């Protein structure tokens, strides 16, 4: 039975990772401030990693500010690598975002730094790049809404369910050995290309909110996104429900 620590265990993705690992029969150590483990201050971190074989880093910053997010990811990557090495952890698997290698600004640029730091640490690290989550659409709708109208960028996306990402990330973390040199970073995305505004319109109809598609100007790297720079690569795995299918299962 593998003993796996999950950073960000109570977050949007982390809670699904914990569930998936439990169903696979793994011994799971949930790490979050709610469980008494702070990966930034290191409170409880050494104790949590005792006997752990693998760390899954599903922790994230709660806002889009690039500077604050970068500071968070710098600290978390350093602390997980250093504490993991001292505890005898064999590897780290982390969740990232498709297109971070092209990002120049905003949250994705911060995730780019996160990837680089984890990959350059003493412990072998594996990265899974995921498309934006289905759950992101509701957050986007909240940000852009003014009264009963929301203005949402009509940017291309291939949204994926958090649960699907969690399953893929758990599989990646459990595979022994290291990827061969030159192996592309794995990607996971949903089965259907759509625009963020189209997905938001489906959710908006349930909320009584009219969604108007806009060009996305003002968003970080909007031109890259409009050109498909954050869509999955040809080697990506496409899996899980479409946004409409997922939405139909939500209360």
């Amino acid at each position: 039975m593998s003993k796996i620590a999950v950073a960000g265990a109570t977050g949007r993705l982390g809670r699904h990772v914990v569930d998936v690992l439990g169903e696979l029969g793994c011994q799971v150590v949930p790490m979050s401030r709610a469980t008494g483990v702070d990966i930034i201050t290191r409170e409880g971190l050494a104790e949590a990693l005792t006997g752990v074989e693998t760390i899954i880093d599903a922790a994230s910053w709660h806002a889009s500010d690039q500077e604050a997010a970068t500071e968070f990811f710098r600290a978390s990557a350093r602390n997980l690598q250093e504490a993991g090495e001292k505890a005898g952890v064999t590897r780290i698997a982390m969740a990232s975002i498709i297109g971070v290698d092209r990002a120049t600004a905003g949250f994705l640029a911060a995730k780019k730094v996160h990837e680089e730091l984890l990959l350059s640490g003493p412990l072998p690290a594996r990265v899974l790049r995921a498309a934006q989550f289905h759950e992101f659409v509701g957050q986007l709708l909240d940000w852009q809404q003014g009264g009963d109208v929301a203005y949402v960028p009509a940017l291309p996306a291939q949204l994926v369910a958090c649960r699907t990402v969690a399953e893929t990330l758990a599989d990646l973390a459990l595979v022994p050995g290291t990827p061969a040199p030159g192996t592309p970073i794995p990607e996971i995305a949903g089965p259907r290309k759509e625009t963020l505004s189209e997905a938001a319109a489906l959710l908006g109809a349930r909320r009584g909110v009219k969604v108007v598609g806009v060009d996305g100007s003002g968003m970080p790297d909007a031109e890259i996104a409009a050109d498909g720079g954050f869509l999955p690569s040809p080697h990506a795995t496409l899996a899980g429900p479409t946004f409409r299918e997922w939405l139909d299962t939500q209360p």
Side-chain angles (χ1 to χ4, degrees):
M1 180 185 295
S2 299
K3 187 175 183 181
I4 301 180
V6 180
T10 56
R12 180 176 292 161
L13 174 61
R15 61 187 178 87
H16 288 288
V17 173
V18 169
D19 288 345
V20 170
L21 291 172
E23 292 166 10
L24 293 173
C26 299
Q27 183 180 354
V28 184
V29 181
M31 300 196 302
S32 70
R33 283 180 293 179
T35 66
V37 183
D38 192 319
I39 63 172
I40 301 302
T41 67
R42 296 200 183 201
E43 179 183 358
L45 182 57
E47 295 82 0
L49 293 180
T50 301
V52 165
E53 179 182 348
T54 302
I55 297 170
I56 294 181
D57 185 1
S60 190
W61 183 244
H62 60 270
S64 59
D65 178 73
Q66 181 179 345
E67 184 176 351
T70 301
E71 183 178 346
F72 173 85
F73 289 128
R74 283 186 189 279
S76 68
R78 180 184 64 247
N79 292 342
L80 289 176
Q81 278 281 4
E82 291 179 358
E85 184 183 31
K86 288 180 181 178
V89 171
T90 60
R91 60 181 172 270
I92 298 177
M94 69 162 285
S96 188
I97 304 171
I98 290 174
V100 292
D101 50 323
R102 305 179 186 92
T104 66
F107 185 82
L108 266 67
K111 284 296 292 184
K112 181 179 182 179
V113 173
H114 187 201
E115 272 193 21
E116 292 169 350
L117 290 172
L118 270 186
L119 288 169
S120 63
L123 295 178
R126 294 174 176 172
V127 175
L128 174 66
R129 291 177 178 165
Q132 287 286 4
F133 303 151
H134 290 328
E135 290 83 350
F136 172 71
V137 176
Q139 186 177 2
L140 187 61
L141 201 59
D142 293 338
W143 288 342
Q144 306 296 334
Q145 187 175 343
D148 56 359
V149 178
Y151 298 89
V152 177
L155 296 174
Q158 199 147 331
L159 300 161
V160 66
C162 258
R163 170 74 189 203
T164 302
V165 177
E167 292 168 350
T168 309
L169 183 58
D171 287 343
L172 182 70
L174 291 170
V175 172
T178 56
T183 301
I185 292 176
E187 297 179 357
I188 179 71
R192 179 176 178 268
K193 179 182 173 182
E194 55 200 326
T195 68
L196 292 175
S197 56
E198 288 170 349
L202 293 174
L203 179 57
R206 294 182 58 162
R207 294 185 179 182
V209 175
K210 179 182 179 182
V211 171
V212 177
V214 295
D215 64 6
S217 58
M219 291 186 67
D221 289 333
E223 289 187 8
I224 296 175
D227 289 339
F230 301 131
L231 292 174
S233 302
H235 71 266
T237 298
L238 307 183
T242 65
F243 182 77
R244 183 187 293 272
E245 291 168 344
W246 172 84
L247 188 60
D248 288 343
T249 68
Q250 302 305 298

